[in-house]
Amino acid sequence: MTYQEAVNWMFNQFPVYQNQGKSAYKEDLSNTIQLANYLKNPESKFKSIHVGGTNGKGSTSHMIASILQEAGYKVGLYTSPHLKSFTERIKINGEEIPQTNVLEFVNSHKVFFEEHQLSFFEMTVGMAFDYFSKEQVDIAVIEVGLGGRLDSTNIITPEMSVITNIGLDHVQILGNTLEKIAGEKAGIIKSNVPVVIGEKQLEIEHVFIKKADEFESKITFASDVVREVYETDLLGSYQRHNVKTAICAVQNLKGFKVTSNVIEKGLLNVKTNTKLRGRWEILNNSPKVICDTAHNKEGLTYVMEQLKKEKYDNLHIVLGVVSDKNLEEILPLFPKEATYYFSKPNLPRGLSAEILKKESKKFELLGEQYESVLCAYDEAVKVSSSGDLVFVGGSTFTVAEIL
């Protein structure tokens, strides 16, 4: 196989949540544990920080990794999903895993994967842990894929667990109340491992306190203790919450020397150090083009608030979402005065542009539908004058197609 054939094989062989949604979600960790044992438990051979939450877990993971890189450590970073290339998911000091390593891993273990019917995500987690172990990272920042308790990443015993916040996302899998979702996310809390909670949410803080008490884990709410917030090169106003969470995490991390100067530099160089993209990213200035991967009520609330503060003559919004989104919850957040360019992200789970246009009309969001995200984007830019603003969002996958 070539590298691309190997990645295609992983995507097509077994369920991929990105493509199929709920049917790809596994109800236990037995497959991942079996794979880890087969690979001789690479997850036990490096130190790690486990980062979960509804919003901001990706940005927070990148911030923590950037700070630790600035401190001189060799830092692994595992995140999902990817925007452009599969190798973005697995990095060391901002450098993506070489394609040759991906190909070698799939070729070496393909028979085992087939015999045990491993999912795409399980294989990818195994690949990341194997790579970090062989490359002898000082520490790896591991972002939870979905939920926490049953996520494939949850076989690690980290130095620290981090949970950014809780919102109503993936309710068909994690539960339809904040308390149920918090219970799933709290599943990454381990015995005697300190836990940092990013935002104190009064209605669910008891879920985390109870779990931490049960496991004798020291619990810290970042929003309570972090007073000095540094600037970051990630431009979204919502990043201030993630900055507090990242600062609190590295300040409470035992065995790693991280000064305030290093924290400051790490936060100012997140994009340079980790190559993070798609978070309130300005792609063009005339017309101004901004994209953001926010895709649920909590994330989009912050992004739409920031959009209101922008100055422009006319607003154009390229919108594409996946089919399991609660449109009645997210569409009212979008501004009615914008011209909309409805499109379907290019994956089986993408919602058709026709349905999106029809549903949006109920909320007075008007515009035309296009056969692809790129067609919608090209048209929005073409008709915009230099004083206009084009915003692209609704889904990680919509943003990915225009980067």
Side-chain angles (χ1 to χ4, degrees), residues 318-335:
V318 177
L319 188 63
V321 300
V322 292
S323 56
D324 54 6
K325 285 296 155 210
N326 182 343
L327 296 179
E328 295 195 350
E329 198 171 66
I330 64 169
L331 290 177
L333 302 173
F334 284 86

Side-chain angles (χ1 to χ4, degrees), residues 75-233:
V75 185
L77 178 60
Y78 176 76
T79 58
S80 62
H82 60 269
L83 284 168
K84 300 301 281 184
S85 165
F86 170 81
T87 52
E88 291 169 35
R89 293 169 180 255
I90 304 169
K91 295 176 184 172
I92 294 176
N93 284 3
E95 296 301 318
E96 296 174 19
I97 184 173
Q99 293 183 0
T100 49
N101 290 59
V102 174
L103 180 56
E104 187 187 333
F105 184 81
V106 174
N107 278 336
S108 300
H109 308 301
K110 188 165 177 274
V111 173
F112 181 88
F113 296 155
E114 287 176 325
E115 280 176 2
H116 295 84
Q117 293 204 319
L118 297 187
S119 71
F120 167 81
F121 195 76
E122 288 161 347
M123 289 186 264
T124 308
V125 167
M127 183 189 299
F129 292 174
D130 187 65
Y131 182 59
F132 295 153
S133 166
K134 284 176 176 161
E135 292 294 317
Q136 300 180 314
V137 297
D138 295 315
I139 192 163
V141 183
I142 309 293
E143 182 196 1
V144 169
L146 175 61
R149 182 175 64 92
L150 297 175
D151 189 71
S152 294
T153 61
N154 203 28
I155 60 168
I156 57 175
T157 302
E159 304 301 298
M160 170 173 293
S161 306
V162 177
I163 300 169
T164 56
N165 56 34
I166 303 300
L168 291 170
D169 201 11
H170 303 299
V171 292
Q172 71 280 25
I173 292 172
L174 303 178
N176 57 4
T177 67
L178 287 181
E179 193 160 358
K180 282 179 185 169
I181 294 171
E184 289 297 314
K185 307 276 185 190
I188 69 170
I189 297 173
K190 304 284 193 315
S191 182
N192 290 301
V193 173
V195 56
V196 167
I197 310 295
E199 296 170 43
K200 192 175 218 177
Q201 295 165 265
L202 295 177
E203 66 270 47
I204 50 166
E205 64 176 295
H206 67 278
V207 176
F208 300 120
I209 292 168
K210 185 181 174 205
K211 190 80 170 177
D213 284 350
E214 200 181 307
F215 283 98
E216 297 181 348
S217 304
K218 180 194 170 197
I219 185 168
T220 310
F221 288 88
S223 51
D224 281 355
V225 300
V226 176
R227 294 285 168 261
E228 189 175 7
V229 178
Y230 299 102
E231 293 295 311
T232 177
D233 61 345

Side-chain angles (χ1 to χ4, degrees), residues 31 65 158 224 234 238 279 321 326 352 377:
N31 269 9
D224 281 355
L234 302 181
Y238 55 85
R279 272 58 169 197
V321 300
N326 182 343
S352 86
Y377 175 65

